[in-house]
Each structure stands twice: as structure tokens, then as C-alpha cells.
Amino acid sequence: MAEKNDEMTASKKLSGFLDKNKKIFWILLIIVVCAVIAFVCAQAFGSSAKLKNLEKIDLISYELTNDSSSLSEDELNTRRDTAIESLMAFTSKSGVVGVRANLLAAELYYQKEDYESAVKYYEAAAKKSKTAYTSPIANYNLGVCYENLNNLEAAALAYKKASDDENYILRTHALFSYGRVLETMGKVTEAIAAYTEVNDISPDDDWAKLAKTRAIKLQLQEKSE
């Protein structure tokens, strides 16, 4: 009986508490609902804005290449400059929009043989989405740019980063390039290791066959010294 009375007392207290604080609970509920609605709207708006920005980048690319086969190099450069200027509105953005804008800007600077500027935008593209399929592409192209700038240390590092991605379609090429740069730098032991790894990854690959040849040649040189 005492337990029943206690339960009734507790029930009354809870009921009284709820009645007393009814307004507060409704306010809290409204705040939570509004927060959920705001989150959903933000997600939808973000997705819509992303698609619009990607469409704008596609338009920049189209205007760059449309009927370009008959243009002179000066005319092509004018188009490249116009495209680069338009892309600047998107290069600071995050996600796929920023990645695509930076990759396109980098490629245009590379075509203009402005390798220092190309490096800047390839690096930005690689950093904005380190796990995306575009990251090793950006890193490989970074290696090419650094080689053109005769910065072999940076080139080797970029090729190595590209080759570390097991899903990169040009992985063996990137790893061979890493070994080749190491060889050029006189780092023979490291170069042999890189060449050997190419062969271990895919022995039937053309780059692996070339790497095996280079590794054997370097090993023979080491023995004769």
C-alpha cells in the first residue's frame, strides 16, 4: 500500500512538473524542430550550390575548348587566361568544386609552361581531397612540374605520394618515375628499391619490365665499383 501511495505521489509530482514547465518543453521542442529543418535546408542548399558551381566550371571548360582546333597559340593563350581568371572564383572552395577548379587551373598554367603556378594549384587540388581518386593524379602532375623546375627532391616526393595510392591507374608509372628521379639524384640504393617494388607490384607491366632492366644495370654498376 505504501509503495502504491509512493507511486501515485511520484506520478502527481511528475504531472505537476510537466504542467508547470509545459511552455519550456514546447519551446525546446520548437527549437529542436527548427534546427532539424535548418540542417536539412542547408544540406539541400549546399548540394544545389555545388551542382551550380560544377556547371559553371563545365561551362568554363567548354568555352575554353569549343572550336579551338583552328586557333593560333596566341588565341589559345588568350582563352587560357580568360579561363584561369574565371576559375579563381572557385579555387578557394572546398570539396569537389575546389578540386576540379584547381586541377583545371593547374593544367592551364602547365600548358602555358608556367610551372611554378601549376605547382600551386596542383598542390591545392591534392590537399583539398586527399582520399579522392584525383589526389594521386594531382601528385603525379606535381612531380612532372617539379622536374621541369629542376627541383628533384620535391619531384621524387610527389611521385612517391602518387605511387602510394594502390588504386591509382598509373601507379607503376609513378613508382618508376620515383626511381628514375632517385637515380638521377645519385641515390642508387633507393632507386634500386623503387625499381624492384615496381616489378613486385606488377611484373608483366611495361614499366615493371623497364624498371627491372634499370635495377639490374644499377646493381651491376655497384658491383663493379
Side-chain angles (χ1 to χ4, degrees), residues 137-193:
I137 296 172
N139 280 315
Y140 179 84
N141 289 333
L142 261 177
V144 176
C145 289
Y146 277 127
E147 275 202 85
N148 278 294
L149 292 168
N150 201 34
N151 187 342
L152 299 185
E153 288 280 357
L157 180 60
Y159 286 136
K160 182 65 170 62
K161 283 183 178 179
S163 70
D164 284 341
D165 191 318
E166 295 180 0
N167 297 315
Y168 182 37
I169 193 171
L170 297 178
R171 187 186 182 196
T172 53
H173 188 182
L175 189 53
F176 177 85
S177 297
Y178 173 58
R180 175 179 53 75
V181 173
L182 290 173
E183 182 182 348
T184 302
M185 295 167 66
K187 297 183 177 182
V188 177
T189 303
E190 293 93 329
I192 292 172

Side-chain angles (χ1 to χ4, degrees), residues 172 198-210 212:
T172 53
V198 178
N199 191 63
D200 290 342
I201 290 172
S202 182
D204 295 326
D205 184 271
D206 288 340
W207 290 108
K209 293 173 183 177
L210 186 56
K212 186 175 182 179

Side-chain angles (χ1 to χ4, degrees), residues 19-72:
D19 286 338
K20 187 177 180 180
N21 296 280
K22 188 182 297 183
K23 289 184 179 180
I24 295 175
F25 287 124
W26 274 111
I27 292 171
L28 289 174
L29 179 61
I30 291 170
I31 291 173
V32 171
V33 171
C34 289
V36 172
I37 293 172
F39 175 77
V40 172
C41 289
Q43 291 292 99
F45 176 78
S47 178
S48 175
K50 178 175 73 176
L51 289 175
K52 287 180 180 179
N53 286 333
L54 289 174
E55 287 175 359
K56 290 175 182 178
I57 293 173
D58 285 339
L59 180 60
I60 293 169
S61 181
Y62 173 77
E63 292 174 344
L64 173 71
T65 58
N66 184 41
D67 295 329
S68 61
S69 58
S70 61
L71 297 179
S72 66

Side-chain angles (χ1 to χ4, degrees), residues 97-154:
V97 173
V99 171
R100 285 187 56 183
N102 280 284
L103 279 177
L104 183 52
E107 177 60 25
L108 293 174
Y109 276 120
Y110 182 86
Q111 291 175 12
K112 290 165 62 67
E113 298 184 1
D114 184 351
Y115 302 119
E116 289 186 356
S117 295
V119 161
K120 174 183 174 182
Y121 291 99
Y122 278 132
E123 283 184 339
K127 289 176 181 177
K128 282 181 181 291
S129 189
K130 295 180 180 180
T131 58
Y133 76 95
T134 53
S135 183
I137 296 172
N139 280 315
Y140 179 84
N141 289 333
L142 261 177
V144 176
C145 289
Y146 277 127
E147 275 202 85
N148 278 294
L149 292 168
N150 201 34
N151 187 342
L152 299 185
E153 288 280 357

